[in-house]
């Protein structure tokens, strides 16, 4: 199916993925690229619109990220957001200057003239928007007019007289902009004329055909974790190629309470793909003995997983492909928006994750999707909500939730505490309102008193966050009575823990996981 595509050029904004998510929510397909990869000749037939993202730089600064007017003027509408608007101003001959009063946070936007950009808005109407800028447009480029203003930005939105180039100083993609979704919908449907054709039903039929064409009569191996992503990949491969797929589940001894048993029970009852269970828990824990540094843990787990997986895969005849649950955020995060190496916060994504000596081609059917889209895809494929609605679980498992040295004893302690926490969230009807919740075992001990006896045992931290895609997150405002039950149960039922704390850090500056 031919589909409209919106191309987002990333200039380093923290909100770039949110732009893509809002466009996808309007049921239009979009892609993110670093600004160093502007549209090519091949893009001209499929790109319906170009978005220039925000970014931390000033357009007048030396070395500011740039594109040329010719690179973006390919006969389709162009929208500049924040830095993108200032870039349009500069490219078309206007002037940008430091703002007398920088705007970071809420502002009131006043629509000045009717435009397709603000279809549904009344002239003179005020609307709350989210600003994040230190520069502003000093003089308008020729051939543009002001579409909206704020108290600090005489030009908070602009439109070219030929109605092809648009700029907004605010961020319509963030939830703080009251009518942001409506504005994005205007962009994609009113301005660009894109059809709402990006649906999971369409994706399933397209992807099944694509998998069948690429795989042919060969065999696919899937590294199965039992989490949402790999389970959805398994369901998709089952629909596409059935028994031409073998799912290999490696139990690394770092899984949650009874997770290995549950995964085996679910997939052994599946009549489609082949299922292989490898218990390598002792091998993983042995390799991790004495290791405390988080990045070293991750690399050991990654190396051992490849070794175990290769040994299991060697017994699969005719294997030509390795399937992975790589998601679109993984792909985006592996590419610096400035074309250079990105800083490593932690190594965990699957992008290109094949050793050179493995003679298998990568098959990544979820590579275009965000996490919430994967959940919708799973439901489209008939998976139960409790399976696709599970909270994310890190690839290294409990190894990065047991802070410090990882041992079987410490994993068992954490498993029990985590199970109690999740059980209480489900009982309180809070599980689905939370993006991710878990317990972590800290590498410190605290003094306590139990039955008039002094104790000196482990501290357990419980964490629950809200998010839309995991890129940013805020701590969940947990009801006091739920925290009280969780703390009481963990301390009374889990031998080895005598203190429970609740993590109220957001991301950023923290991360969701502790390691």
């Amino acid at each position: 199916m031919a589909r409209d595509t919106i191309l987002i050029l990333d200039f380093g904004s923290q909100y770039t993925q949110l732009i893509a998510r809002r466009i996808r929510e309007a049921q239009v397909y979009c892609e993110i690229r670093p600004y160093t990869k502007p549209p090519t000749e091949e893009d001209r037939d499929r790109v319906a619109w170009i978005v220039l993202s925000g970014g931390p730089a000033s357009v007048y600064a030396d070395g500011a990220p740039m594109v040329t007017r010719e690179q973006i003027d390919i006969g389709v509408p162009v929208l500049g957001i924040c830095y993108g608007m200032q870039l349009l101003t500069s490219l078309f001959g206007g002037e940008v200057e430091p703002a007398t009063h920088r705007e970071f946070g809420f502002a009131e936007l006043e629509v000045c003239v009717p435009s397709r950009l603000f279809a549904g808005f009344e002239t003179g109407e005020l609307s709350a928007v989210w600003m994040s800028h230190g520069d502003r447009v000093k003089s308008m480029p020729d051939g543009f007019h002001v579409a909206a203003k704020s108290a600090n930005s005489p030009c908070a939105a602009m439109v070219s007289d030929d109605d092809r180039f648009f700029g907004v100083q605010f961020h319509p993609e963030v939830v703080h902009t009251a009518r942001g979704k409506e504005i994005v919908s205007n962009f994609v449907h009113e301005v660009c004329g894109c059809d709402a054709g990006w649906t999971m039903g369409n994706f399933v039929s397209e992807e099944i055909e694509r998998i069948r064409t690429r795989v042919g009569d060969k065999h696919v191996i899937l590294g199965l974790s039992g989490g949402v992503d790999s389970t959805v990949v398994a369901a998709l491969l089952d629909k596409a190629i059935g028994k031409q797929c073998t799912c290999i589940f490696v139990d690394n001894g770092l899984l949650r309470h009874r997770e290995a048993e549950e995964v085996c029970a679910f997939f052994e009852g599946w009549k489609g793909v082949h299922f292989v269970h490898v218990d390598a828990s002792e091998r993983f824990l042995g390799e991790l003995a004495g290791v405390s540094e988080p990045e070293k843990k991750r690399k050991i787990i990654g190396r051992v997983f490849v070794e175990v997986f290769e040994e299991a895969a060697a017994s699969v005849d005719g294997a030509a492909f390795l399937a992975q649950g790589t998601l679109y955020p993984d792909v985006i995060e592996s590419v610096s928006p400035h074309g250079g190496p990105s800083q490593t916060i932690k190594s965990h994504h699957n992008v290109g994750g094949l050793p050179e000596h493995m003679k298998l081609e990568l098959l990544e059917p979820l590579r275009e999707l965000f996490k919430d889209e994967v959940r919708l895809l799973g439901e489209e494929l008939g998976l139960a909500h409790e399976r696709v609605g599970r909270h994310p679980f890190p690839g290294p498992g409990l190894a990065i939730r047991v802070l410090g040295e990882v041992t079987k004893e410490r994993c068992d302690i954490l498993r029990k505490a985590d199970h109690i926490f999740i059980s209480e969230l489900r009982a309180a009807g809070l599980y689905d309102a939370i993006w991710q919740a878990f317990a972590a075992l800290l590498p410190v001990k605290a003094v306590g008193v139990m039955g008039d006896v002094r104790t000196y045992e482990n501290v357990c931290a419980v964490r629950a966050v809200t998010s839309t895609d995991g890129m940013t997150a805020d701590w969940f405002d947990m009801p006091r009575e739920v925290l009280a039950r969780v703390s009481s149960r963990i301390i009374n039922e889990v031998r080895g823990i005598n203190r429970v704390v609740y993590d109220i850090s957001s991301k950023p500056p923290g991360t969701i996981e502790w390691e």
Side-chain angles (χ1 to χ4, degrees):
M1 180 186 76
R3 61 187 177 204
D4 296 318
T5 296
I6 291 176
L7 180 62
I8 302 170
L9 295 184
D10 183 15
F11 290 86
S13 171
Q14 61 180 316
Y15 300 133
T16 299
Q17 288 202 35
L18 288 179
I19 302 171
R21 285 178 51 78
R22 296 294 173 256
I23 294 170
R24 296 275 185 95
E25 287 170 2
Q27 296 186 322
V28 176
Y29 179 71
C30 64
E31 296 176 1
I32 298 174
R33 287 189 200 167
Y35 74 92
T36 52
K37 296 183 178 179
T40 64
E41 285 297 324
E42 294 178 356
D43 292 321
R44 289 177 180 266
D45 293 334
R46 69 187 191 96
V47 171
W49 180 35
I50 298 172
V51 179
L52 310 177
S53 85
S58 296
V59 294
Y60 50 77
D62 291 340
M66 284 284 170
V67 292
T68 66
R69 181 169 168 176
E70 291 71 27
Q71 286 175 324
I72 61 170
D73 190 358
I74 62 171
V76 301
V78 178
L79 167 70
I81 297 176
C82 198
Y83 178 86
M85 170 174 159
Q86 295 161 12
L87 180 59
L88 281 178
T89 300
S90 178
L91 292 176
F92 282 81
E95 189 176 354
V96 177
E97 66 176 359
T100 306
H101 300 286
R102 297 184 300 171
E103 283 186 303
F104 295 98
F106 284 106
E108 281 197 323
L109 184 80
E110 180 183 347
V111 176
C112 301
V113 295
S115 75
R116 292 189 294 168
L117 193 71
F118 298 108
F121 288 69
E122 297 293 332
T123 302
E125 180 178 354
L126 298 178
S127 180
V129 298
W130 186 258
M131 295 282 194
S132 181
H133 66 99
D135 297 325
R136 69 176 186 176
V137 174
K138 179 182 179 181
S139 61
M140 293 282 293
D142 291 338
F144 282 76
H145 60 270
V146 174
K149 64 183 179 179
S150 71
N152 190 49
S153 296
C155 177
M158 66 181 192
V159 181
S160 65
D161 296 340
D162 64 2
D163 213 26
R164 278 205 305 123
F165 295 89
F166 302 79
V168 292
Q169 186 61 74
F170 60 95
H171 289 275
E173 69 273 22
V174 303
V175 294
H176 310 295
T177 295
R179 298 176 69 177
K181 285 188 177 182
E182 187 177 344
I183 294 169
V184 172
S185 180
N186 285 340
F187 292 157
V188 299
H189 298 308
E190 297 294 329
V191 175
C192 304
C194 294
D195 294 328
W198 174 250
T199 66
M200 283 303 104
N202 287 337
F203 178 86
V204 168
S205 58
E206 286 183 31
E207 195 59 34
I208 286 176
E209 185 58 35
R210 189 154 46 215
I211 291 169
R212 286 173 177 167
T213 300
R214 186 176 174 199
V215 172
D217 59 357
K218 298 187 176 83
H219 207 90
V220 176
I221 300 173
L222 169 64
L224 187 71
S225 69
V228 175
D229 303 337
S230 64
T231 300
V232 171
V233 173
L236 189 58
L237 292 174
D238 182 27
K239 293 276 189 185
I241 57 174
K243 292 189 179 297
Q244 287 174 249
C245 176
T246 295
C247 297
I248 299 177
F249 170 54
V250 176
D251 180 359
N252 57 15
L254 305 168
L255 303 176
R256 290 169 286 197
H257 178 72
R258 296 188 59 81
E259 187 158 26
E261 294 95 321
E262 291 174 3
V263 171
C264 289
F266 180 76
F267 282 97
E268 285 171 353
W270 205 330
K271 296 181 180 179
V273 298
H274 295 288
F275 175 74
V276 177
H277 173 214
V278 181
D279 185 354
S281 52
E282 290 187 5
R283 182 167 171 179
F284 277 89
L285 290 169
E287 292 271 3
L288 289 168
V291 178
S292 297
E293 203 278 318
E295 191 66 11
K296 191 172 181 181
K297 289 182 193 177
R298 290 175 180 273
K299 288 180 178 178
I300 288 172
I301 292 167
R303 172 179 57 79
V304 177
F305 175 82
V306 169
E307 293 171 359
V308 173
F309 190 84
E310 280 188 278
E311 292 166 8
S315 63
V316 180
D317 294 332
F321 295 89
L322 173 64
Q324 290 187 160
T326 307
L327 304 189
Y328 199 41
D330 302 343
V331 177
I332 299 166
E333 288 179 358
S334 69
V335 181
S336 167
H338 301 297
S342 300
Q343 181 182 5
T344 298
I345 304 300
K346 54 188 177 181
S347 57
H348 66 121
H349 292 319
N350 293 331
V351 182
L354 273 175
E356 290 184 5
H357 63 270
M358 285 188 74
K359 305 302 181 184
L360 297 175
E361 292 184 53
L362 270 181
L363 187 66
E364 298 171 311
L366 309 184
R367 191 179 175 90
E368 295 179 335
L369 305 182
F370 288 99
K371 188 75 173 188
D372 57 333
E373 292 175 319
V374 174
R375 298 188 198 281
L376 292 173
L377 173 60
E379 292 179 354
E380 184 75 26
L381 291 167
L383 294 172
H385 173 73
E386 56 267 22
R387 184 132 312 259
V388 297
R390 300 181 72 198
H391 291 177
F393 187 63
L398 298 185
I400 58 169
R401 293 179 179 176
V402 171
L403 279 66
E405 184 180 1
V406 181
T407 65
K408 184 179 184 304
E409 178 187 12
R410 300 194 77 209
C411 286
D412 287 342
I413 291 172
L414 180 57
R415 260 187 278 268
K416 294 174 184 176
D418 184 78
H419 179 61
I420 289 171
F421 183 35
I422 299 302
S423 297
E424 287 296 333
L425 292 180
R426 291 190 184 279
L430 298 174
Y431 185 84
D432 287 339
I434 294 169
W435 167 267
Q436 192 169 354
F438 59 90
L441 194 64
L442 307 190
V444 294
K445 290 190 174 183
V447 173
V449 178
M450 291 185 178
D452 297 325
V453 176
R454 177 186 182 276
T455 62
Y456 187 57
E457 293 181 337
N458 296 282
V459 178
C460 173
V462 292
R463 179 148 170 77
V465 298
T466 57
S467 182
T468 55
D469 51 20
M471 301 303 297
T472 60
D474 198 6
W475 58 277
F476 181 72
D477 191 5
M478 189 76 66
R480 185 182 186 280
E481 61 273 15
V482 176
L483 282 176
R485 285 197 301 272
V486 169
S487 177
S488 177
R489 283 195 61 192
I490 289 176
I491 291 171
N492 281 286
E493 297 176 31
V494 183
R495 188 175 296 276
I497 294 175
N498 69 355
R499 191 176 297 263
V500 175
V501 297
Y502 187 50
D503 182 351
I504 58 169
S505 308
S506 62
K507 175 188 178 180
T511 54
I512 294 178
E513 297 288 345
W514 277 55
E515 287 190 345

